[in-house]
Amino acid sequence: MNRGDEDMEHSERHTLDEQIVTDFRERMTYGEYLQLDRLLSSQTPLSEHHDEMLFIIIHQTSELWMKLFLHELTSAITRINEDDLATAFKMLSRVSKIQSQIIYAWDVLSTLTPTEYLAFRDKLGQASGFQSFQYREIEFRLGNKNAQLLRIYEKDPALLERLTQVLHAPSIYDAAIGALARAGFSIDRAVLERDVTQPYQANQSVAAAWMAVYQDVQRYWELYELAEKLMDVEDGLQQWRFRHMKTVERIIGFKRGTGGSSGVPYLKGVLEQRIFPELWDVRTQF
């Protein structure tokens, strides 16, 4: 390339650069659209320790991902109730990708050593991730209901009301079972009319319906896809729980949690919970 070609190429690049908007006196900026002044001023460490910023940002970003998780999950429940399963699949696929982001966040937090964490842990008081109202709403909407946990949120009446409404709302698994019934499967009335504030208990009629779906995939393709999307979500939830448990064990060992839980033993116990039991059992029985 000779000097003349270089000058021409430089001139073209310069011309393209001139198309970039630089005058924002009457225009909305990127920072204004995202309200970055509010977002980036929300990190207020309570100690002078360098690593508290890591701790805050990891948990704040996880809460943002959970907000999107709930946005997609609640819409997916509506779509399933409307028998618009194809749209629900797109939303549930996005939920699974969101879960991957939350899971990977533990890798960043696990760079925090016991010495570093203990330097500011006392500043947390009794604040704990166990109290995350968005995580609680996710569990409720997936079907893992526990009315006793609402006591944690009595300090905030509006928040308590929000979670109480979710407690009384059918979960995504209730919606899926409703889809089975509308497809012609014989589902026990006790299941279809059950008290949705209570944890779901496995039922033989639901198990038989899912077995039939897995035995004739072509006939029940959408229900089969729904089952697999739900399994993706529960699998992601269990991976999140496992990474949480191992990160806690790595950083504080078997100390009690700041919120009063037994810590690692409690988190190990949670790993035994199953929210879509028949979808797990069908793998053994199929």
Side-chain angles (χ1 to χ4, degrees):
M1 180 182 293
N2 59 40
R3 180 59 182 272
D5 292 335
E6 290 178 352
D7 290 344
M8 181 175 294
E9 183 180 359
H10 180 271
S11 176
E12 290 176 351
R13 289 202 304 267
H14 184 66
T15 300
L16 290 173
D17 289 344
E18 289 180 346
Q19 304 304 310
I20 297 175
V21 177
T22 58
D23 184 358
F24 286 94
R25 286 172 293 184
E26 302 296 332
R27 296 182 175 94
M28 179 176 64
T29 66
Y30 170 82
E32 289 169 340
Y33 174 69
L34 295 178
Q35 300 185 56
L36 292 182
D37 55 338
R38 296 175 59 191
L39 183 64
L40 299 180
S41 63
S42 297
Q43 295 74 46
T44 53
L46 299 180
S47 75
E48 299 297 325
H49 198 279
H50 172 82
D51 295 298
E52 190 180 355
M53 183 64 76
L54 161 69
F55 191 82
I56 292 172
I57 289 177
I58 287 293
H59 287 84
Q60 286 185 340
T61 53
S62 293
E63 291 291 337
L64 285 173
W65 282 123
M66 283 192 277
K67 183 173 184 176
L68 184 57
F69 187 129
L70 285 166
H71 177 71
E72 300 296 337
L73 182 62
T74 53
S75 294
I77 293 172
T78 299
R79 296 298 186 176
I80 293 169
N81 287 330
E82 295 172 349
D83 290 319
D84 182 7
L85 298 186
T87 303
F89 297 158
K90 175 62 180 294
M91 295 168 176
L92 292 175
S93 292
R94 185 171 291 163
V95 165
S96 294
K97 295 297 185 181
I98 293 166
Q99 288 177 296
S100 295
Q101 296 296 320
I102 300 174
I103 292 167
Y104 291 146
W106 293 118
D107 292 340
V108 183
L109 188 59
S110 66
T111 65
L112 189 67
T113 69
T115 303
E116 292 164 346
Y117 179 52
L118 289 176
F120 63 84
R121 188 187 190 219
D122 64 312
K123 299 296 184 182
L124 275 63
Q126 276 66 61
S128 166
F130 181 79
Q131 299 149 15
S132 167
F133 70 85
Q134 290 197 120
Y135 179 73
R136 195 67 55 219
E137 183 173 343
I138 287 171
E139 285 205 317
F140 283 6
R141 292 199 182 278
L142 291 177
N144 190 15
K145 306 284 185 76
N146 186 340
Q148 290 183 330
L149 293 174
L150 292 178
R151 293 170 56 191
I152 297 172
Y153 310 100
E154 291 176 349
K155 180 179 180 178
D156 186 334
L159 182 55
L160 178 62
E161 175 61 23
R162 168 178 167 174
L163 290 174
T164 300
Q165 289 179 3
V166 177
L167 178 73
H168 286 82
S171 71
I172 193 168
Y173 199 49
D174 292 314
I177 292 171
L180 288 172
R182 291 191 297 276
F185 290 102
S186 179
I187 304 297
D188 290 345
R189 181 174 294 277
V191 175
L192 298 176
E193 298 178 355
R194 74 183 192 88
D195 179 359
V196 297
T197 68
Q198 299 301 309
Y200 176 79
Q201 300 294 324
N203 176 271
Q204 183 55 42
S205 68
V206 176
W210 286 125
M211 177 63 75
V213 168
Y214 275 81
Q215 289 176 329
D216 195 345
V217 171
Q218 290 187 336
R219 180 179 179 183
Y220 300 113
W221 176 255
E222 282 201 323
L223 290 171
Y224 172 74
E225 276 289 285
L226 175 59
E228 287 299 296
K229 294 298 184 187
L230 292 178
M231 286 299 293
D232 288 343
V233 173
E234 181 162 4
D235 189 19
L237 181 66
Q238 291 293 62
Q239 290 186 50
W240 184 92
R241 288 170 168 172
F242 178 78
R243 289 297 297 127
H244 183 192
M245 182 268 293
K246 296 306 293 184
T247 302
V248 170
E249 184 176 6
R250 174 171 177 159
I251 296 175
I252 67 168
F254 282 76
K255 293 183 179 71
R256 297 192 72 85
T258 52
S261 77
S262 60
V264 169
Y266 170 80
L267 295 173
K268 285 185 176 180
V270 171
L271 286 171
E272 300 300 320
Q273 296 176 354
R274 297 193 304 175
I275 51 179
F276 309 139
E278 293 91 352
L279 294 181
W280 290 101
D281 292 342
V282 74
R283 282 148 171 77
T284 301
Q285 299 165 0
F286 183 69

